[in-house]
């Protein structure tokens, strides 16, 4: 009869397993359905003049980073890394684009001035680009290969290790794909 | 004067055309449909609120996009599918009733039934318990007779 005494503790085991799994996953991280799909095309009016369309960049790897001046501290943490990465790789055929989400032009310009951004950045009026990419917070970064496919999405501040790994993969892929 | 009349006509035309050009109040049907669709979408920033109810800027922009697609004549299903294609099924406040989601819809009912059955079985078992050891085991008749004799003898002894 002693096995019956174990029944209640045993019944708790699957529940504990479920909770252990559940508490380790971040409920706020939504997996993107766009990974491995073609990146949505967009036109970005650049704050430093001119315009760029994502489709025109086909053939080179592109990193699209969504940021905002009110996004503290994560965007502030990764901003120096973004600029440093741009300076290191811009002559190796990599493009970095910054999309400013739900922000004002003066605030965006101030942020760019503070971190000495030399890579192209533009505002996203109406958040159309952001919604098209399924952005739900800032910062978010999309890594796009030469064929225009989103190979990965990173939510939160970037780290140098992560960005280096992604860039190496993107640059190593052959143009023919 | 002709210029006066032309000016008058131009003013009249701009008074009529300007509201449309400025995108003033859309029709009630558009608003109703926009609100209906927005209330089924999850605000991705304030994730427990619908896009219709959330005060966040992102929800406002999403509402604007829904309204624009409604005005373009897109059917409700297509508009919802657009958001699902960007954000995944999480953006729908009611998960579609298929596949793994059936567990989410069905498990509470299954749990309730299992609990009810469990309570019933336990209640039956506890109220139909066999009588306790107080039920007398079969009594040896010689002992019973002897106890009766001694009892009667004692009562007679005390009586006298």
């Amino acid at each position: 009869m002693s096995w019956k005494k174990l029944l209640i503790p045993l019944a708790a085991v699957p529940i504990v397993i479920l909770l252990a799994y559940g508490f380790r996953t971040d409920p706020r991280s939504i997996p993107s359905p766009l990974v491995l799909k073609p990146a949505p095309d967009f036109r970005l009016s650049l704050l430093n003049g001119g315009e760029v369309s994502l489709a025109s960049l086909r053939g080179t790897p592109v990193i699209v980073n969504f940021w905002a001046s009110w996004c503290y501290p994560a965007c502030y943490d990764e901003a120096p890394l973004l600029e440093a990465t741009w300076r290191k790789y811009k002559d190796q055929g990599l493009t970095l684009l910054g999309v400013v989400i739900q922000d004002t032009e003066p605030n965006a310009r101030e942020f760019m001035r503070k971190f000495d951004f030399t890579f192209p950045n533009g505002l996203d009026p109406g958040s159309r680009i952001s919604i098209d990419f399924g952005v739900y917070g800032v910062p978010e970064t999309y890594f796009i290969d030469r064929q225009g496919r989103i190979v990965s999405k990173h939510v939160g501040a970037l780290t140098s290790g992560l960005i280096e790994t992604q860039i190496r993969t993107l640059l190593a892929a052959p143009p023919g794909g | 004067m002709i210029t006066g009349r032309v000016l008058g006509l131009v003013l009249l035309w701009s008074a009529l055309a300007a509201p449309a050009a400025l995108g003033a109040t859309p029709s009630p049907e558009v608003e109703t449909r926009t609100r209906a669709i927005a209330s089924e979408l999850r605000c991705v920033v304030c994730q427990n609120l619908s896009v219709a109810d959330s005060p966040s800027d992102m929800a406002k922009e999403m509402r604007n996009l829904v309204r624009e697609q409604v005005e373009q004549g897109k059917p409700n299903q297509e508009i919802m599918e657009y958001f699902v294609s960007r954000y995944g099924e999480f953006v729908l406040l009611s998960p579609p009733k298929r596949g793994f989601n059936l567990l989410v819809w069905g498990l509470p009912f299954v749990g309730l039934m299992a609990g009810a059955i469990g309570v019933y079985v336990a209640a039956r078992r506890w109220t139909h318990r066999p009588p306790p050891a107080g039920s007398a085991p079969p009594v040896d008749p010689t002992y019973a007779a002897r106890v009766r004799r001694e009892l009667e003898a004692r009562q007679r002894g005390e009586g006298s």
Side-chain angles (χ1 to χ4, degrees):
Chain A
M1 278 313 199
S2 62
W3 66 266
K4 278 197 180 170
K5 288 198 184 134
L6 288 175
L7 206 60
I8 288 178
L10 273 180
V13 168
I15 297 173
V16 169
I17 291 175
L18 182 66
L19 288 175
Y21 164 73
F23 279 124
R24 289 177 53 214
T25 59
D26 180 2
R28 299 191 64 82
S29 73
I30 307 167
S32 169
L34 288 177
V35 173
L36 298 182
K37 299 248 177 47
D41 191 20
F42 60 83
R43 305 197 84 82
L44 195 62
S45 286
L46 301 177
L47 283 162
N48 289 338
E51 196 183 70
V52 68
S53 86
L54 186 63
S56 69
L57 296 169
R58 185 70 56 90
T60 64
V62 182
I63 300 178
V64 180
N65 174 267
F66 290 83
W67 60 269
S69 67
W70 45 262
C71 147
Y72 184 85
C75 294
Y76 285 71
D77 288 342
E78 73 171 11
L81 175 62
L82 284 174
E83 178 59 26
T85 304
W86 168 244
R87 294 187 192 190
K88 180 172 172 188
Y89 285 104
K90 65 181 183 195
D91 294 326
Q92 295 186 40
L94 177 84
T95 308
L96 174 61
L97 291 180
V99 178
V100 191
I101 169 175
Q102 286 167 10
D103 211 343
T104 65
E105 191 172 318
N107 288 349
R109 286 189 186 279
E110 173 57 29
F111 190 94
M112 289 167 63
R113 189 201 58 79
K114 183 204 281 302
F115 292 102
D116 198 18
F117 276 1
T118 57
F119 64 93
N121 287 273
L123 294 172
D124 181 15
S127 301
R128 292 307 159 86
I129 304 175
S130 309
I131 295 176
D132 230 15
F133 271 74
V135 171
Y136 56 91
V138 274
E140 287 189 9
T141 310
Y142 293 78
F143 295 90
I144 300 168
D145 67 9
R146 298 179 198 274
Q147 285 75 43
R149 267 186 321 244
I150 297 177
V151 296
S152 87
K153 162 178 171 171
H154 182 75
V155 173
L158 287 164
T159 63
S160 64
L162 199 138
I163 212 174
E164 290 285 330
T165 312
Q166 289 290 346
I167 289 176
R168 240 171 292 151
T169 315
L170 289 176
L171 288 174
Chain B
M1 288 269 291
I2 291 185
T3 36
R5 206 170 291 164
V6 168
L7 188 61
L9 277 173
V10 167
L11 282 175
L12 182 65
W13 174 84
S14 35
L16 291 173
L22 290 171
T25 325
S27 74
E29 295 85 36
V30 167
E31 272 315 297
T32 309
R33 266 189 73 200
T34 301
R35 197 171 168 83
I37 296 169
S39 60
E40 288 190 49
L41 292 172
R42 184 191 302 274
C43 170
V44 294
V45 173
C46 316
Q47 291 177 354
N48 290 327
L49 291 174
S50 73
V51 166
D53 296 332
S54 169
S56 74
D57 280 341
M58 184 55 117
K60 191 176 83 168
E61 317 266 51
M62 286 171 80
R63 279 197 297 274
N64 287 342
L65 185 54
V66 169
R67 187 177 299 114
E68 195 178 280
Q69 296 196 357
V70 166
E71 282 169 344
Q72 287 167 3
K74 298 207 171 137
N76 287 14
Q77 188 61 27
E78 195 178 314
I79 299 175
M80 307 271 279
E81 273 168 12
Y82 165 74
F83 284 95
V84 171
S85 74
R86 304 308 181 197
Y87 289 97
E89 281 186 350
F90 179 76
V91 81
L92 297 175
L93 277 173
S94 295
K97 298 182 180 70
R98 60 164 184 271
F100 183 76
N101 291 332
L102 285 173
L103 267 182
V104 174
W105 287 98
L107 262 183
F109 292 105
V110 170
L112 207 59
M113 290 302 297
I117 291 172
V119 166
Y120 176 74
V121 166
R124 276 198 67 117
R125 195 169 290 170
W126 292 343
T127 54
H128 286 79
R129 190 186 291 262
S135 90
V139 178
D140 185 343
T142 27
Y143 265 121
R146 184 176 153 190
V147 166
R148 214 172 294 124
R149 273 201 308 275
E150 288 184 3
L151 267 179
E152 285 165 1
R154 183 169 297 193
Q155 282 169 348
R156 266 184 266 113
E158 283 171 2
S160 62

